[in-house]
Amino acid sequence: MTRTRRTSWLKAVALVAALASVTINFGLIDLADGFTGYVDQARNQVLDVGWGATFGVILPIGLLSQLHRPERRIAGIQQTALVASALALAALAGQSERYLVLAAAIAVIAAILLALHPARQTFLRRGQQADPVMLALAAVAAGPVLAYVRRMASAQRRDLPPADAVTNGLHHWTVMAALALLVLLLMLLAAARTSGWRIPAVSTALAAGSWALSCLLGPASAAGSEGHAWAWAALAWALVVLTTTAWPRPHDQPIPAQIRVSP
């Protein structure tokens, strides 16, 4: 198969997977419902946004980033693989075996996209220099993130209510743990400065900001919320991530020619 044809297939698979994530996997519906509360009368806003941020923001952004100059955006494939990894880890921590099936499906998609990618040899290659600002922001988030993962996994193991916070037969406690893991993992990916590193940075900021806003819209005691104080802190952190991501970096360099034309 020629490089051009592989790239065309890459874009087609990425587009179909992204559309599936936001539609039949209810990514956009749950994200919107988390803010409006229209479908479930605002009973589980934070839990709905957790699912929506994962499958309506992080996963589709990584996939859709491959539709334009994918050779410059290997981070989008890495992001897709991290979604599968985070879901698998959260499933194991929460003893939620059904999530492993979803994680495996996303891992298969990531593997197919990697096989088709014109710069697949850079998948395990980090940038020339780690980004100290992104590393610092990841370090700031690490403690709260890991504490939240532990709490969400514990809620899943104990099968805590609300019982109706379910999408496609999967309770949202596990996806909340996965979302928190993704916030940390994607920041570390951005810090590694792989090609297209701004994709995970922006995805993290949007997802964390969405979670924070859902907490602020509901009562501090809402399921999945850590209270309004932590929500404000998360929102401020997300805004800092967005600001620093937009700031030019002295080590930003174009993709070498040998990578752009690799077979």
Side-chain angles (χ1 to χ4, degrees), residues 6 20 33 40 66 71 80 109 126 137 151 221 228 240:
R6 279 208 315 269
D33 191 50
D40 68 355
Q66 302 306 297
E71 68 276 3
T80 304
I109 293 170
R126 68 177 181 84
L137 288 169
R151 193 165 82 86
S221 59
H228 289 172
V240 171

Side-chain angles (χ1 to χ4, degrees), residues 176-263:
M176 301 305 291
L179 175 62
L181 282 173
L182 282 168
V183 166
L184 181 57
L185 292 175
L186 291 178
M187 281 304 296
L188 293 174
L189 175 59
R193 296 292 301 277
T194 59
S195 174
W197 65 272
R198 285 183 171 85
I199 297 165
V202 170
S203 299
T204 301
L206 293 177
S210 297
W211 175 86
L213 288 173
S214 70
C215 293
L216 293 172
L217 288 171
S221 59
S225 174
E226 290 293 294
H228 289 172
W230 277 109
W232 281 114
L235 184 59
W237 181 87
L239 291 173
V240 171
V241 172
L242 277 179
T243 302
T244 56
T245 300
W247 201 264
R249 296 299 200 278
H251 299 287
D252 282 347
Q253 295 179 354
I255 302 300
Q258 64 268 28
I259 293 178
R260 291 202 303 268
V261 301
S262 60

Side-chain angles (χ1 to χ4, degrees), residues 94 151 153-161:
R151 193 165 82 86
S154 175
Q156 179 64 57
R157 290 194 301 271
R158 291 181 289 160
D159 197 23
L160 294 184

Side-chain angles (χ1 to χ4, degrees), residues 160-171:
L160 294 184
D164 60 343
V166 176
T167 300
N168 285 337
L170 300 171
H171 198 286

Side-chain angles (χ1 to χ4, degrees), residues 14-179:
L15 179 60
V16 170
L19 290 175
S21 182
V22 300
T23 56
I24 61 176
N25 206 35
F26 298 97
L28 285 184
I29 293 174
D30 274 17
L31 184 65
D33 191 50
F35 293 126
T36 65
Y38 179 77
V39 175
D40 68 355
Q41 291 77 51
R43 291 192 302 270
N44 306 308
Q45 284 182 267
V46 180
L47 297 180
D48 286 344
V49 165
W51 184 278
T54 303
F55 299 108
V57 177
I58 294 177
L59 183 58
I61 285 179
L63 293 167
L64 293 175
S65 69
Q66 302 306 297
L67 300 185
H68 180 63
R69 292 186 176 180
E71 68 276 3
R72 294 176 177 265
R73 295 174 172 85
I74 193 66
I77 306 298
Q78 294 167 325
Q79 180 162 311
T80 304
L82 284 180
V83 171
S85 300
L87 286 170
L89 290 171
L92 293 173
Q95 298 175 359
S96 180
E97 293 80 5
R98 295 185 66 182
Y99 266 94
L100 292 175
V101 177
L102 180 58
I106 296 172
V108 169
I109 293 170
I112 293 172
L113 293 175
L114 180 60
L116 296 169
H117 202 276
R120 58 188 177 276
Q121 71 273 20
T122 66
F123 182 75
L124 298 177
R125 186 184 304 170
R126 68 177 181 84
Q128 294 181 357
Q129 182 175 339
D131 192 314
V133 176
M134 292 291 143
L135 280 175
L137 288 169
V140 168
V145 159
L146 294 176
Y148 189 78
V149 170
R150 180 179 180 182
R151 193 165 82 86
M152 296 299 102
S154 175
Q156 179 64 57
R157 290 194 301 271
R158 291 181 289 160
D159 197 23
L160 294 184
D164 60 343
V166 176
T167 300
N168 285 337
L170 300 171
H171 198 286
H172 288 194
W173 289 125
T174 297
V175 83
M176 301 305 291
L179 175 62

